[in-house]
Amino acid sequence: MPAEDDCLFCIESNMPAGSHDVLGLVYRPCPQCLETCPGCDGDGLFPTDFTCLACFRQHMAAIGLIPVLCALCSGVVDLYPTPHRRTEVTGHDHH
């Protein structure tokens, strides 16, 4: 049984937010546990499938996209196409 102060909506202050067509499964900061980010109004998404920011950026570059991150919370707020695709993606253990 959860303690009285445990949030029933999130996992460690992150709430599942569904599946994005490019990012895959994503989280948002839990609005019950955290204040809404003033930079993105809580719209920033956090992909579940990446170990680190460098891995995420490389993956996006490999599919021809540049992620735009919120300056305050670092959530993904937009994706822009890039004319320069990176064909190689360096694994997390190599950077």
Side-chain angles (χ1 to χ4, degrees), residues 69-82:
L69 306 178
C70 174
L72 298 179
C73 72
S74 298
V76 179
V77 293
D78 209 347
L79 298 169
Y80 284 105
T82 178

Side-chain angles (χ1 to χ4, degrees), residues 4-65:
E4 284 184 290
D5 60 347
D6 285 345
C7 180
L8 299 177
F9 299 103
C10 70
I11 302 163
E12 296 179 2
S13 299
N14 293 300
M15 188 170 70
S19 183
H20 184 272
D21 58 341
V22 174
L23 302 175
L25 296 175
V26 292
Y27 285 99
R28 288 183 193 248
C30 178
Q32 299 294 320
C33 296
L34 301 170
E35 291 183 27
T36 300
C37 175
C40 66
D41 291 328
D43 290 334
L45 298 175
F46 295 85
T48 62
D49 215 15
F50 297 96
T51 306
C52 70
L53 183 57
C55 292
F56 172 64
R57 286 182 186 230
Q58 288 183 34
H59 176 75
M60 291 292 105
I63 61 173
L65 295 171

Side-chain angles (χ1 to χ4, degrees), residues 29 62 66 87:
I66 298 171
T87 56

